[in-house]
Amino acid sequence: MDLEFDRKHIWHPYSSLINPPPVYPVARAEGVRIFLEDGPGLIDGMSSWWSALHGYNVPELNQAMREQMDKMSHVMFGGLTHEPAIELCKKLVEITPPGLNRVFLADSGSVSVEVAIKMALQFWHSQGKPGKSKLLALRNGYHGDTFGAMATCDPVTGMHHLFAGQLSQHLFAPAPQTPFGETCPDEDIRELEQLIAQNSEQLAAVILEPIVQGAGGMRFYSADYLRRVRALCDEYDLLLIADEIATGFGRSGKMFACDHAAISPDILTLGKALTGGTMTLAAALCSDRIAEGICNGEAGVFMHGPTFMGNPLACSVANASIQLLLSSPWQERVAAIEQQLTEQLAPLKTAPGVADVRALGAIGVVEMREPINTVKVQEALIERGVWLRPFGKLVYAMPPYVISKEDLSQLTSAMVNVLGEVS
Ligand SMILES: *Cc1c(COP(=O)(O)O)cnc(C)c1O
């Protein structure tokens, strides 16, 4: 592979073209292994950023794409429809929390967040309350890289403060502190409640990642907190947007993280694992009330329509992925991964440089006290045959659900050895 060309000419996510960090050439991927061009297979601990639930080169998913390709890879969604989209939207309505009956198919997670925000604003406009146009987001949140989504990311720890002047100004509440599994005391939600009470005339919605804050800190928080946010939204007439782009499809131990609190948001965003890590596709679902409000409004339509909306190839592989997930013992698998991560990462709790070790569902997180040398740590992990992508103070694993006990043991022992040495 022409890695020299890559270094000079190709942007990678959040990368420099002057001093690019190493990128490793992948020849193929199979099961839970990523095979480098001239190396052994690395055990994948990232699921390619939450997406490859079933691992790689999955026969059922390949088959679905092959069959669909022979019929049509794509047709426009304006004025046309097709079976893969209808089947997918039916399934999404069925498996997501109750009341989310209307589906907008988008191209990527960030775009589905744009769509969700636009739904909220168009809804309030239609209700004769165009002043309700601001969002209340949580610190440590992450909702994507496009401008609307960026404006809801944590303004301090987020990666977007450079653009602060160009972004819509929203309100931010402190990140929830109550750990998962505990009851939320009043003081943990007080500031959020005050912000809502004081600004309800300007607020369209609360936007949050339920239970698991992902790229903004890999934090897990109380289902009771989430339940209370839902109640406050109802009390003050705000919408709740749940961004489940990372947590959707079982990652936190429930099919959707909202299920831990038994709540339904007004708008839900999905992405990442939607196609089992094969193609880019996302969705924003909303309730009947929101959809009907929007369509009874001045515009009479929802004002969005991407070129590749409802791409049949992506929809068909999403259908196959959801079917594969539902027909698998995913809940047992995720619970077993949680238990193994909890037990096997525990030795790091007392390691000198480690601030915290936590696991929820198929997510294991080691938080260091100081930012680590991510390039060096990654190199050391690769030497031990595993693929992880640490950032800042965080080294975390979210493997495909199909990972074997042995492979997961190799993954966690690599983390324990490398991070033990770092500290
Ligand atoms: C990844 C992510 C996004 C953005 O999705 P992209 O597909 O990268 O645009 C938004 N919200 C959350 C919670 C995410 O994890």
Side-chain angles (χ1 to χ4, degrees), residues 134-149:
K134 290 209 179 297
L135 301 166
L136 176 61
L138 301 183
R139 297 206 181 263
N140 288 104
Y142 177 77
H143 298 288
D145 287 344
T146 52
F147 271 78

Side-chain angles (χ1 to χ4, degrees), residues 93-299:
V93 167
E94 198 181 297
I95 66 174
T96 52
L100 296 162
N101 294 335
R102 316 293 180 114
V103 190
F104 189 99
L105 296 169
D107 327 30
S108 74
S110 298
V111 172
S112 72
V113 171
E114 300 290 328
V115 165
I117 295 171
K118 208 187 259 189
M119 282 176 173
L121 299 191
Q122 256 195 265
F123 173 74
W124 287 118
H125 196 277
S126 78
Q127 303 304 105
K129 296 180 178 171
K132 282 172 84 68
S133 63
K134 290 209 179 297
L135 301 166
L136 176 61
L138 301 183
R139 297 206 181 263
N140 288 104
Y142 177 77
H143 298 288
D145 287 344
T146 52
F147 271 78
M150 266 202 289
T152 63
C153 296
D154 188 305
V156 181
T157 68
M159 298 170 259
H160 304 125
H161 52 267
L162 199 69
F163 307 103
Q166 279 67 49
L167 297 178
S168 311
Q169 297 301 303
H170 297 307
L171 299 169
F172 290 88
Q177 301 299 316
T178 312
F180 182 79
E182 293 184 19
T183 305
C184 173
D186 290 346
E187 68 252 30
D188 196 22
I189 203 149
R190 189 165 294 136
E191 200 169 327
L192 177 125
E193 180 164 13
Q194 280 167 359
L195 281 166
I196 290 180
Q198 287 159 8
N199 299 282
S200 63
E201 295 303 307
Q202 290 102 49
L203 281 171
V206 171
I207 181 168
L208 50 70
E209 297 155 276
I211 308 296
V212 178
Q213 293 190 297
M218 300 298 292
R219 303 172 76 259
F220 311 141
Y221 66 89
S222 159
D224 188 40
Y225 178 97
L226 181 59
R227 220 174 285 124
R228 294 183 66 166
V229 175
R230 173 71 271 185
L232 286 170
C233 287
D234 291 338
E235 186 183 340
Y236 290 94
D237 209 13
L238 264 63
L239 306 182
L240 177 62
I241 302 174
D243 179 352
E244 294 230 25
I245 291 167
T247 47
F249 303 101
R251 180 59 64 178
S252 71
K254 297 276 190 189
M255 184 55 87
F256 298 97
C258 284
D259 298 341
H260 287 288
I263 59 131
S264 291
D266 300 283
I267 302 171
L268 173 77
T269 57
L270 299 174
K272 291 198 163 100
L274 178 56
T275 62
T278 54
M279 296 190 65
T280 179
L281 184 69
L285 286 84
C286 71
S287 65
D288 296 337
R289 174 185 172 224
I290 305 305
E292 282 159 17
I294 288 169
C295 301
N296 283 326
E298 181 192 320

Side-chain angles (χ1 to χ4, degrees), residues 336 339-340 343-344 402-410:
Q339 193 183 352
Q340 206 180 335
E343 285 168 14
Q344 295 181 342
V402 295
I403 194 167
S404 70
K405 237 182 149 108
E406 295 71 32
D407 285 343
L408 187 53
S409 290
Q410 188 178 334

